[in-house]
């Protein structure tokens, strides 16, 4: 309740939805879902009773399945078309005593999420999505007053690893005042954004090296599960590229990781990587949350621009421990410090943007922009063929904004082959059917519960009359009387 009160102070949070899940098995674990109002959520919250096992992994699985119920059908994740910044951010707050993880088979030592069979789950390797984070609060209040908190605390929370994987954080509280403070900390972190992995590249392919063959070892090698803040004013245009390519021979859309991996080169880029002046080319600016990489860049290279690449794998993503020159790296953005040198930002740009800048610079006059030379058109067509096809539609919009009015790009309904389009439509249909089935089951459960509460209890039957005592059964004192 304190968390909701803190969120209600900002009118921008008026559209928040609230779900409630417990460790009860099956549908009984969903206390408040998509159809429930705020009043229904608060009523379910007050009716909670601790009576089930501590199957936290199964409860989180149910939670993420419910959150992702309509994502495939609404195409929020835009599978096969790059990762667009149309997001539906969700924050999962887990309250636990951090005790033993009990289940029907006994006591577990490690918390894990069971696999899911929901339609659309085959498109993502993990049960969560890049705009969903988990925060846990371990309530470690002493069992009685006067007992020191050090006696009650444990070394590390069982939920810490799971929170780190989602880009969230695990907290502990030993008093009610501290628990309320943790809620305020979580509320401050509930900002719209996406979680990505940032990895340093050691050496680049020759065509992308721009004169840099070795970088300092002081630069952080990895910054995993870090958030890029998506500003409310951001209008999505450029996606983060998929880590795979598809063609007519691809049998199915390859699964993607929940968090995309971006590779950065910690060296200043040449001028050919910067947006050409006076073009007003549209770009997305995504602030990076404070991390080891941002601290290093602000303290050592605050005035530099670093190139950012998307690793491309054919035909499907792999799990290589380090990105090397053997892999294809597609330029897709720049890292730099903001004007006040207070934070690091990712500038998201079209794929292989240095080649595009070279083409834009050669168009000097309005006549050339309305009717480019034939040689320029040929080179532009080669550039379009070298980037993923889902860049065609946003690139058409961007070219019109910079004044290139010529019709250079074909109209495309989808960047996927027909076979993959049909496969994605089938998955969307199955997801819609499953969502309707689950909503109907929850509605039937709620009706049954209300009916059971409304039914009057049967009148209690009067107790049977006691039989009269036989004279022989009377005590001797009574016989004398």
């Amino acid at each position: 309740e304190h968390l909701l009160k803190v969120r209600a102070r900002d009118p921008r949070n008026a559209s928040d939805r609230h779900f409630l899940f417990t460790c009860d098995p099956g549908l009984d674990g969903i206390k408040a879902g998509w159809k429930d109002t705020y009043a229904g959520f608060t009523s379910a919250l007050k009716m909670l009773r601790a009576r089930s096992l501590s199957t936290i992994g199964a409860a989180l699985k149910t939670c993420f399945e419910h959150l992702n119920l309509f994502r495939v059908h609404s195409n929020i994740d835009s599978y096969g078309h790059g990762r667009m910044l149309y997001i539906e951010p969700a924050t999962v707050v887990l309250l636990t005593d951090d005790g033993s993880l009990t289940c029907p088979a006994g006591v577990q030592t490690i918390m894990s999420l069971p696999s899911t069979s929901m339609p659309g789950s085959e498109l993502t390797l993990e049960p969560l999505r890049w705009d969903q984070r988990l925060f846990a609060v371990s309530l470690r209040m002493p069992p009685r007053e006067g007992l020191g908190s050090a006696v009650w605390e444990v070394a590390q929370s069982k939920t810490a690893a799971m929170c780190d994987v989602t880009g969230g954080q695990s907290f502990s509280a030993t008093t009610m005042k501290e628990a309320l403070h943790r809620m305020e900390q979580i509320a401050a972190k509930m900002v719209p954004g996406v979680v990505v992995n940032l990895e340093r590249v050691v050496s680049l392919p020759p065509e992308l090296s721009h004169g840099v063959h070795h970088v300092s070892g002081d630069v952080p090698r990895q910054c995993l599960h870090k958030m890029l803040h998506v500003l409310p004013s951001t209008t999505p245009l450029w996606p983060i590229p998929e880590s795979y390519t598809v063609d007519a021979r691809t049998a199915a859309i390859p699964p993607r990781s929940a968090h995309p991996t971006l590779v950065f080169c910690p060296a200043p880029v040449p001028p050919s990587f910067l947006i050409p002046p006076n073009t007003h080319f549209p770009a997305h600016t995504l602030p990076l949350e404070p991390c080891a990489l941002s601290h290093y860049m602000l303290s050592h290279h605050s005035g530099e621009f670093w190139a950012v690449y998307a690793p491309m794998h054919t035909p499907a993503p792999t799990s290589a421990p380090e990105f090397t020159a053997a892999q294809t790296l597609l330029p897709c953005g720049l890292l730099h410090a903001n004007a006040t040198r207070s934070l690091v930002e990712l500038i998201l740009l079209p794929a292989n943007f240095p080649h595009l800048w070279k083409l834009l610079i050669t168009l000097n006059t309005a006549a050339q922009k309305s009717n480019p030379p034939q040689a320029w058109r040929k080179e532009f067509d080669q550039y379009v063929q070298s980037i993923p096809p889902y860049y065609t539609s946003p690139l058409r919009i961007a070219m019109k904004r910079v004044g290139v009015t010529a019709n250079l790009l074909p109209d495309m309904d989808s960047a996927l082959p027909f076979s993959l389009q049909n496969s994605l439509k089938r998955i969307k249909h199955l997801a819609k059917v499953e969502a309707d089935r689950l909503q109907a089951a929850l509605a039937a459960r709620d009706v049954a519960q209300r009916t059971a509460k409304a039914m009057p209890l049967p009148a209690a039957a009067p107790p049977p009359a006691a039989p009269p005592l036989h004279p022989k059964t009377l005590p001797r004192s009574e016989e004398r009387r």
Side-chain angles (χ1 to χ4, degrees), residues 184-382:
E184 295 175 1
Q185 288 181 292
I186 294 175
K189 294 178 176 292
M190 293 172 62
V191 294
V194 295
V195 179
V196 300
N197 297 322
L198 297 170
E199 296 194 7
R200 183 192 71 196
V201 66
V202 176
S203 59
L204 289 172
E207 65 271 16
L208 300 176
S209 62
H210 54 264
V212 178
H213 302 283
H214 182 73
V215 296
S216 173
D218 297 335
V219 183
R221 180 180 176 273
Q222 288 182 330
C223 283
L224 303 180
H225 316 302
K226 300 305 177 184
M227 170 170 273
L228 294 171
H229 298 289
V230 179
L231 304 178
S233 58
T234 301
T235 302
L237 185 63
W238 306 117
I240 293 179
E242 301 279 8
S243 58
Y244 55 80
T245 57
V246 297
D247 53 28
R249 299 169 297 175
T250 306
I253 298 177
R256 63 162 64 150
S257 175
H259 300 156
T261 296
L262 297 176
V263 182
F264 65 92
C265 179
V269 299
S272 60
F273 272 58
L274 302 180
I275 300 177
N278 302 323
T279 59
H280 305 290
F281 194 88
H284 297 327
T285 301
L286 307 174
L288 174 65
E289 71 170 327
C291 60
L293 174 60
S294 62
H295 292 328
Y296 178 86
M297 193 170 185
L298 291 174
S299 59
H300 295 82
H301 306 275
S302 59
E304 297 179 354
F305 285 79
W306 291 356
V308 177
Y309 306 89
M312 303 293 294
H313 304 269
T314 305
T318 60
S319 56
E322 176 113 18
F323 295 101
T324 61
Q327 294 174 322
T328 303
L329 296 177
L330 187 67
C332 63
L334 297 169
L335 274 178
H336 82 119
N338 64 347
T340 60
R341 302 293 192 266
S342 58
L343 52 86
V344 172
E345 298 174 332
L346 169 65
I347 304 176
L348 200 57
L349 297 167
N352 199 10
F353 57 89
H355 192 179
L356 181 61
W357 301 161
K358 177 183 175 182
L359 292 170
L360 291 178
I361 292 175
T362 58
L363 295 179
N364 298 321
T365 63
Q368 290 179 334
K369 291 181 179 180
S370 61
N371 187 19
Q374 191 64 30
W376 189 95
R377 287 174 176 264
K378 182 178 180 180
E379 189 173 356
F380 183 79
D381 290 340
Q382 293 176 352

Side-chain angles (χ1 to χ4, degrees), residues 364-425:
N364 298 321
T365 63
Q368 290 179 334
K369 291 181 179 180
S370 61
N371 187 19
Q374 191 64 30
W376 189 95
R377 287 174 176 264
K378 182 178 180 180
E379 189 173 356
F380 183 79
D381 290 340
Q382 293 176 352
Y383 162 73
V384 173
Q385 294 296 325
S386 68
I387 62 177
Y390 45 79
Y391 277 96
T392 301
S393 179
L395 189 59
R396 185 189 304 109
I397 298 174
M399 296 299 283
K400 289 182 179 179
R401 291 185 183 179
V402 298
V404 181
T405 58
N407 187 14
L408 303 173
L409 295 161
D411 294 330
M412 297 177 61
D413 295 333
S414 176
L416 296 176
F418 287 110
S419 60
L420 297 185
Q421 292 182 43
N422 293 333
S423 175
L424 195 57
K425 289 179 181 178

